[in-house]
């Protein structure tokens, strides 16, 4: 089969389209139609992610496709349209074998390409906003990295989960358009975002900050929160891991909340199923629009993965596999 393989840890440019043997082992065998690309894929190509597989390995954490075969007793069967999580490699290939509890039926109204861009971000953001962020009806949510995978997911999900306003933070005007298409109520540039947010909210601030970026904007994010506000720590694409002066938390009754979706899933059996049941219902009822990914052909996987690293990714990035 064709697959996107990492043979040396030299970054996205060194990934290659290769002919490899189909995977073996127990599980649900899926004929992959599309595979998601995410920021961790770029880190994996340099051996910089917390999970460090030895090359050669096939990239790809999330897929959409059709079940070829499933073990006895599995909740899916041959011919079902599904999405699935590999946790965390093996997805960018024509065939993947997944654990049954990481495979979910894809609603008919969602394409394979949109489906391949769903699970990783939407389940993380659903968990972040509901369990960790305690989002309430009518609250305002500020979203950093708003034109990225997590960012566009937050812009789609926050209103459906009760937010009355989303403010997107982006680095360029082109990304402002992507954030607007994903549903942002307002868009501000990263440079000077604190003052822009203050003006937009008449000095009040926001209830929740969704932060997949970290870096040097962290303190201004804390300053942008209302009393009782929550900052959700999701990632550090900005590079630097921020530190918190905890007096800021005390003075304004602010929470800085960690969001470790994978760690939560690992310690809470059934959590992925619950998250998917909620997101699937929103999708199939039409209340939540599927993602509108930037689709690359499989032989351009290197460029797709590089777009995370060089900051040019436009929304969620997906590879068309077949
Ligand atoms: N905690 C969890 O459970 C969990 C789950 C999934 C993903 N994540 C993490 O969430 C983060 C975002 O993932 P993603 O897939 O959404 O990434 P993405 O699509 O590449 O988006 C990341 C955004 O970060 C911003 N950014 C700021 N500085 C950057 C820099 N120096 N290099 C690259 N991007 C920069 C970019 O927006 P601007 O250019 O507009 O600033 C970009 O749109 C990653 O760190 C990932 O590991 C965490």
């Amino acid at each position: 089969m064709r697959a996107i393989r990492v043979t040396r840890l030299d970054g996205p440019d060194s990934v290659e389209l290769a002919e490899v043997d189909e995977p073996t082992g127990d599980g649900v065998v899926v004929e992959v139609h599309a595979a998601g690309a995410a920021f961790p894929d770029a880190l994996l190509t340099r051996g910089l992610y917390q999970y460090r597989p030895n090359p050669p390995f096939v990239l790809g954490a999330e897929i959409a496709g059709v079940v070829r075969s499933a073990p006895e007793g599995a909740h899916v069967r041959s011919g079902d349209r599904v999405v699935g999580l590999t946790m965390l490699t093996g997805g960018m290939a024509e065939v993947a074998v997944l654990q049954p509890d990481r495979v979910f039926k894809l609603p008919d109204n969602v394409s394979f390409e949109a489906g391949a861009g769903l699970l990783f971000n939407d389940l993380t953001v659903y968990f972040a906003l509901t369990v960790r962020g305690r989002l309430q009806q009518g609250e305002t949510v500020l979203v950093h990295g708003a034109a990225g995978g997590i960012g566009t997911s937050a812009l789609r999900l926050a209103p459906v989960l009760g937010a009355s306003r989303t403010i997107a933070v982006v680095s360029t005007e082109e990304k402002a358009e992507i954030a607007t298409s994903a549903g942002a109520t307002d868009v501000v540039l990263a440079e000077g975002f604190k003052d822009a947010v203050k003006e937009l909210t008449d000095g009040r601030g926001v209830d929740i900050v969704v932060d997949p970026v970290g870096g040097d904007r962290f303190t201004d994010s804390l300053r942008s929160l209302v009393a009782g506000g929550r900052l959700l720590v999701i990632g550090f694409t900005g590079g630097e891991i921020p530190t918190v002066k905890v007096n800021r938390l005390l003075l304004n009754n602010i929470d800085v909340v960690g969001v470790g979706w994978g760690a939560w899933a690992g310690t809470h059996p059934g959590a992925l199923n619950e998250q998917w049941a909620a997101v699937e219902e929103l999708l199939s009822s039409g209340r939540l629009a599927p993602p509108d990914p930037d689709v690359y052909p499989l032989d351009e996987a290197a460029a797709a993965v590089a777009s995370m690293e060089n900051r040019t990714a436009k929304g969620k990035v997906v590879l068309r596999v077949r």
Side-chain angles (χ1 to χ4, degrees):
M1 65 170 187
R2 296 185 310 152
I4 299 304
R5 199 167 57 160
V6 174
T7 53
R8 53 187 205 280
L9 300 176
D10 283 344
D13 289 344
S14 64
V15 308
E16 57 188 34
L17 177 60
E19 271 301 321
V20 301
D21 292 338
E22 286 189 2
T24 53
D26 294 336
V28 179
V29 181
V30 180
E31 293 182 348
V32 178
H33 284 243
F39 200 83
D41 293 315
L43 297 175
L44 278 163
T45 67
R46 294 194 186 278
L48 294 176
Y49 198 57
Q50 57 252 40
Y51 164 60
R52 295 190 175 87
N54 285 326
F57 62 90
V58 172
L59 271 184
E62 53 187 337
I63 56 125
V66 176
V67 174
R68 181 193 282 176
S69 66
E72 184 106 358
H75 65 291
V76 292
R77 59 184 177 180
S78 172
D80 282 348
R81 295 172 83 247
V82 294
V83 286
L85 295 161
T86 64
M87 304 271 190
L88 272 164
T89 54
M92 295 181 188
E94 287 177 321
V95 178
V97 181
L98 276 65
Q99 276 183 217
D101 60 352
R102 292 177 189 162
V103 178
F104 310 95
K105 279 190 193 164
L106 183 62
D108 289 340
N109 61 340
V110 182
S111 71
F112 287 126
E113 285 162 6
L118 266 181
L119 285 176
F120 208 41
N121 294 321
D122 282 9
L123 299 194
T124 297
V125 169
Y126 180 83
F127 167 64
L129 290 176
T130 58
V131 178
R132 304 299 290 145
R134 310 180 308 276
L135 173 64
Q136 305 295 311
Q137 289 291 328
E139 288 191 323
T140 297
V141 179
L142 180 76
V143 180
H144 285 293
I150 287 284
T152 48
S153 175
L155 292 173
R156 289 170 38 251
L157 269 163
V160 177
L161 297 174
S164 59
R165 186 177 197 182
T166 51
I167 303 178
V169 183
V170 295
S171 60
T172 65
E173 293 296 345
E174 191 190 11
K175 289 190 178 186
E177 284 175 30
I178 293 162
T180 302
S181 307
T185 319
D186 303 278
V187 186
V188 300
L189 290 175
E191 183 76 36
F193 80 90
K194 176 174 71 71
D195 293 339
V197 167
K198 200 168 180 184
E199 202 178 315
L200 279 172
T201 59
D202 294 327
R204 177 182 179 271
V206 300
D207 301 283
I208 291 183
V209 174
V210 171
D211 188 9
V213 175
D216 56 11
R217 57 179 88 174
F218 195 80
T219 302
D220 278 349
S221 291
L222 293 179
R223 290 184 177 127
S224 299
L225 284 169
V226 298
R230 289 83 74 203
L231 187 151
L232 305 178
V233 178
I234 297 186
F236 311 106
T237 57
E240 184 201 330
I241 297 181
T243 50
V244 186
K245 286 206 168 134
V246 293
N247 61 324
R248 291 188 195 285
L249 314 186
L250 178 154
L251 290 170
N252 214 14
N253 287 293
I254 283 170
D255 289 8
V256 173
V257 187
V259 179
W261 168 70
W264 187 271
T267 51
H268 291 72
L272 288 180
N273 257 327
E274 282 168 30
Q275 292 160 7
W276 173 249
V279 169
E280 195 271 343
E281 202 276 319
L282 293 172
L283 286 165
S284 52
S285 66
R287 289 171 60 208
L288 175 67
D292 180 18
D294 194 12
V295 181
Y296 287 68
L298 191 60
D299 60 5
E300 289 177 23
V305 177
S307 74
M308 314 281 152
E309 193 178 72
N310 63 29
R311 212 170 166 174
T312 59
K314 300 185 188 86
K316 176 67 192 179
V317 174
V318 162
L319 295 173
R320 186 182 302 117
V321 178
R322 64 170 87 218

